[in-house]
Amino acid sequence: MLNIYTNTSVIGGCFDKEFQEYSNALFEEFKSGTNKLILSDVVKAELERAGPNILCKPDEVPTRFKIEIKTTLKAVRLAQAYIEKGALSNKCHNDALHIALATLQNADVLASWNFCKLPLKKDC
């Protein structure tokens, strides 16, 4: 069983023609307990701005197969370090925070469809 930090794009991908096959397959793994969903408060906050079907998608995963985590000062500092070292630009702060949270949670995998790439011109 893998612990998979899943960001908002993968959850939204369940309803996006381009990504729904893979996003829904991952959610089937979460629902069956093949893998565990790591869900952060950052993802939950981002989902608040989405439609109700996207917002409720994580609720399909039984609690025993879900790890809910909160942002800590350590995660914020690690995200800032990623930005300061140039791994991501400041415009990608939430992406850096997702990576930091997954790192500190010792996630086996970080699933995303939309992380910013390494900046070529100091922006995403």
Side-chain angles (χ1 to χ4, degrees):
M1 176 184 306
L2 297 175
N3 293 325
I4 302 176
Y5 183 102
T6 305
N7 88 342
T8 312
S9 67
V10 175
I11 298 168
C14 292
F15 305 93
D16 183 309
K17 193 173 189 176
E18 182 179 4
F19 302 112
Q20 66 187 167
E21 177 184 353
Y22 301 105
S23 289
N24 282 309
L26 182 59
F27 263 81
E28 288 304 315
E29 291 178 9
F30 294 147
K31 291 192 286 188
S32 71
T34 302
N35 291 308
K36 278 193 175 183
L37 166 67
I38 300 175
L39 186 67
S40 73
D41 58 346
V42 177
V43 170
K44 286 181 173 182
E46 291 173 351
L47 290 174
E48 288 289 330
R49 297 187 299 264
N53 56 342
I54 297 171
L55 177 63
C56 295
K57 187 67 178 175
D59 295 340
E60 295 177 8
V61 179
T63 304
R64 68 185 180 277
F65 303 136
K66 190 173 5 180
I67 301 166
E68 297 194 33
I69 61 172
K70 295 188 186 285
T71 302
T72 62
L73 182 56
K74 189 173 183 178
V76 171
R77 287 181 177 156
L78 182 56
Q80 190 59 40
Y82 291 150
I83 291 167
E84 288 171 5
K85 295 295 182 184
L88 296 124
S89 80
N90 199 40
K91 291 181 182 178
C92 302
H93 184 267
N94 271 13
D95 287 345
L97 193 51
H98 289 304
I99 296 167
L101 287 164
T103 299
L104 294 173
Q105 186 62 37
N106 293 314
D108 297 302
V109 175
L110 191 158
S112 175
W113 294 124
N114 69 351
F115 276 128
C116 293
K117 296 178 183 173
L118 280 174
L120 299 176
K121 298 186 283 182
K122 295 293 182 199
D123 63 346
C124 295

